[in-house]
Structures are given as C-alpha cells and as structure tokens.
Amino acid sequence: MKLVFFSAQPYDKSFFTQFNQNKHELVFIDIPLSEQTAELAAGADAVCVFVNDKVTADVIQKLATGKTKIIALRCAGFNNVDIEAAKAAGIRVCRVPAYSPEAVAEHAVAMLLTLNRKTHKAYNRVREQNFSLQGLLGFNLHGKTIGVIGTGNIGKAFCKIMLGFGCKVVAFDLIANKEMESDGVVYQPLMDVLKADIISLHCPLNEQTKHLINKDTIALMKRGVVLINTSRGGLINTHDTIKALKSGQISALGIDVYEQEEKLFFRNLSEDIIQDDEIQRLMSFPNVLITAHQAFFTQEAMEQIATTTLNNIQLLSENAKLNPQAALLA
C-alpha cells in the first residue's frame, strides 16, 4: 500500500519507518493537507494526517478522486475531519484513541509546576549569576482544589497525579467515572468545578465545548485561578482570556494548544514577523507559559501512535474489524 503523510516531521519519518512491519510505501510531505495540496496524494491508498490538517469536504472529494480509501489520523482528536463527507465519499476514517495518556497528563503537571514555582525564570536567572529569590514565590499544591474538566484517559491520568500531590480533585464530565470516584475524585456540576484553585482542561473540541472558557465562565472562577490547557486550543476564547490575565482574574495560564496554532506550531518562525497579535500578546505576559503542542511528544507515545496507526490502516485494508473507538466509520 502507498501511504502519504501530511504535516510530516522528521520524527514522524523516523518512528513510522521503524514500525513499518508490512513494508508499505511511505511518502512523507512536510506541508499540511489542504485543498491546494490534496492532489499530492493522488494514487495513495491512504493518507495520514495530524491535528492541524484541514480535511474538509472539498479536500475529501479530491482525495476520493485520487482513489484514496483511508484517512488515518495519527492523533486522538478528529474535529478537523468532515466525517459525514468522508462517509458520503466511501472513505474510511480511523484515529489513535489513546496513546500514552500519561504523556499529556504529565506535561500538564509540568506546566503547572513551572508556572507556580517559576523554575524557568530561576534557570535563566542563575545562569546570569543572579541568585536572588525575589519574584519567585510560589504556593504549595498540597491541599489545593484542582478542577478537571473531562476525565477520559488523559483527564483520568491527570487526576491520579494530582491526588498523589495531596490535592482535592473535583471533576466535571458527562458521565462520572466510578473508578475515579473510588480513588477520591468528586464529580460536580461545571459551575462548581470552575471555582477550583487550579483548572485543567482535558475534553474534546466540539460544538458544545468550543470557547468553554469565555468571559462568562471566567467570571465564575475564583480570582487568581491558574488555568492549564493541553487539550484543544478552541476550548479557550483567547480574547476573553487576555482580558482576564490583565485584570488578575487569571493569575497564570499554561497552554500547549492555541486556537490559531495551525499557522504557527510545528514550524521554525524565528526569522519571521508573526502577524497573530493575540499570540504575541500572550507571549508578553510573564505569567503565561506556552509550549507548541508538545504534550504528546514522548518516546512511548510516538511508538504507540506509529504502531496503532499502521495497524489501523492494515486492518481497514483487509476489511477487518477495528476497535470501535479507533474506527470512526464502521
């Protein structure tokens, strides 16, 4: 089979080549999939896409014209794919529903600890032989209330870590996880979870969750709340969040995702003038920490992404049954 990878990075080539046990023909393209680039997949049995590829109805039609039969997402989220258009075109869609959820959960904790204890600032300060502690004051996580929105695989892993810190963990999800409740997580209505000292987002992006964090929900939060988002950029209304940072309603923000990230992330723009005023404003705050969608990026996660994606493609090509979570189209 011929598989074409869009938005491919050097590490994608390394891991997928290493785990290509069925000796498929792998073609790696570093530009995103779009209406303008879809023709590059002509003749491919499958295309493999990532979070910022735009798999619209028009793109899907071009893929179908080029005889592509499978769209494989090497990620969990699929809000960037027009599933109904794929069904109509007879194209199967699969994803990686879970890949080392601990990777993303641990990154969320790393962002929280960095913002709180200011280790990034301390590192730079000591390198300049400045050993002052002024401005580095943090707080104990032990005893704080952590609000977790979404308790799927990643949210569950995050909850377990924070319980280990001695935090009180409250959570909101459409369905309470009985296992998590027995571990000590208290499920509450969203309005109550928003009153936590620290809020971490671990939910998918859809019509119900888009801009979940906005001026109205921010107003319900405790003044000085710490907000962490390692899920999807569209969960946060950036304009409203900037206002809350300026007023002090949000005391610290850690984001590994950004609503307009497809124009920025996974690229070296160090020589460019970035035209996105909102990301520039966020980067100007001393209490904002931004990483470029790297929460998933561990050895274990990359191995699972590569093996699961290639296995999904192989099974679909054989008309075999996939894990119901992995196969978005039966």
Side-chain angles (χ1 to χ4, degrees):
M1 294 179 65
K2 181 180 179 180
L3 317 180
V4 175
F5 292 73
F6 285 90
S7 299
Q9 299 291 331
Y11 46 81
D12 291 312
K13 183 175 182 179
S14 174
F15 279 94
F16 278 92
T17 300
Q18 178 183 350
F19 292 100
N20 183 22
Q21 304 299 322
N22 291 302
K23 306 302 180 184
H24 298 302
E25 179 187 352
L26 308 183
V27 178
F28 297 94
I29 300 175
D30 60 3
I31 57 178
L33 176 60
S34 67
E35 194 173 347
Q36 291 70 41
T37 63
E39 292 179 357
L40 295 174
D45 299 284
V47 296
C48 186
V49 299
F50 199 48
V51 292
N52 292 326
D53 290 299
K54 298 296 185 184
V55 195
T56 63
D58 289 336
V59 168
I60 288 168
Q61 188 56 53
K62 288 195 173 186
L63 292 176
T65 301
K67 308 303 182 184
T68 295
K69 298 298 183 185
I70 299 170
I71 297 170
L73 294 105
R74 56 185 187 273
C75 52
F78 53 92
N79 57 283
N80 56 326
V81 179
D82 189 327
I83 300 298
E84 293 305 315
K87 286 182 180 179
I91 295 179
R92 309 293 299 279
V93 181
C94 57
R95 63 178 180 134
V96 185
Y99 48 88
S100 186
E102 290 78 16
V104 181
E106 289 170 10
H107 190 81
V109 176
M111 298 192 86
L112 171 58
L113 289 170
T114 300
L115 283 166
N116 177 26
R117 302 307 297 268
K118 304 173 181 62
T119 49
H120 56 319
K121 296 181 180 181
Y123 171 79
N124 288 324
R125 188 179 289 190
V126 169
R127 283 176 63 86
E128 295 175 355
Q129 302 180 53
N130 177 356
F131 302 99
S132 167
L133 299 184
Q134 187 63 35
L136 301 181
L137 186 67
F139 57 82
N140 287 3
L141 286 179
H142 183 87
K144 295 295 186 295
T145 300
I146 311 294
V148 181
I149 301 177
T151 54
N153 291 320
I154 296 171
K156 182 166 67 172
F158 180 80
C159 288
K160 289 182 177 180
I161 295 171
M162 300 318 297
L163 288 169
F165 272 86
C167 299
K168 176 184 177 183
V169 179
V170 297
F172 170 78
D173 208 324
L174 296 179
I175 301 175
N177 185 312
K178 298 298 182 183
E179 176 191 348
M180 297 305 297
E181 286 182 319
S182 64
D183 288 340
V185 175
V186 179
Y187 280 85
Q188 296 181 343
L190 178 61
M191 298 301 103
D192 294 332
V193 172
L194 290 172
K195 295 179 173 62
D197 301 302
I198 297 156
I199 297 171
S200 190
L201 306 180
H202 298 285
C203 52
L205 177 62
N206 52 43
E207 291 181 1
Q208 289 71 44
T209 61
K210 183 174 173 60
H211 288 174
L212 175 68
I213 305 302
N214 57 58
K215 62 181 180 181
D216 296 325
T217 53
I218 290 172
L220 297 174
M221 296 177 188
K222 179 181 294 187
R223 182 169 178 80
V225 66
V226 177
L227 179 62
I228 306 293
N229 185 16
T230 54
S231 191
R232 287 290 180 266
L235 297 175
I236 291 179
N237 182 309
T238 306
H239 178 75
D240 292 350
T241 302
I242 288 172
K243 282 190 171 183
L245 285 163
K246 290 172 67 176
S247 71
Q249 177 70 3
I250 296 176
S251 68
L253 172 70
I255 56 172
D256 184 57
V257 288
Y258 173 61
E259 192 166 11
Q260 305 299 327
E261 69 177 61
E262 68 272 11
K263 301 174 184 177
L264 304 169
F265 288 5
F266 309 111
R267 306 177 190 179
N268 180 358
L269 303 178
S270 58
E271 300 298 323
D272 297 354
I273 304 298
I274 294 176
Q275 300 299 316
D276 187 326
D277 292 340
E278 289 192 330
I279 194 75
Q280 293 282 38
R281 186 70 181 95
L282 284 173
M283 290 190 294
S284 73
F285 286 101
N287 55 342
V288 172
L289 179 63
I290 302 172
T291 54
H293 210 129
Q294 75 174 77
F296 77 99
F297 198 47
T298 66
Q299 177 79 24
E300 293 82 357
M302 286 302 300
E303 289 180 2
Q304 290 181 33
I305 288 170
T307 55
T308 302
T309 301
L310 291 170
N311 185 57
N312 285 347
I313 292 171
Q314 185 65 31
L315 289 173
L316 285 178
S317 71
E318 298 170 354
N319 291 318
K321 188 175 181 180
L322 288 189
N323 179 316
Q325 286 186 302
L328 301 181
L329 301 177

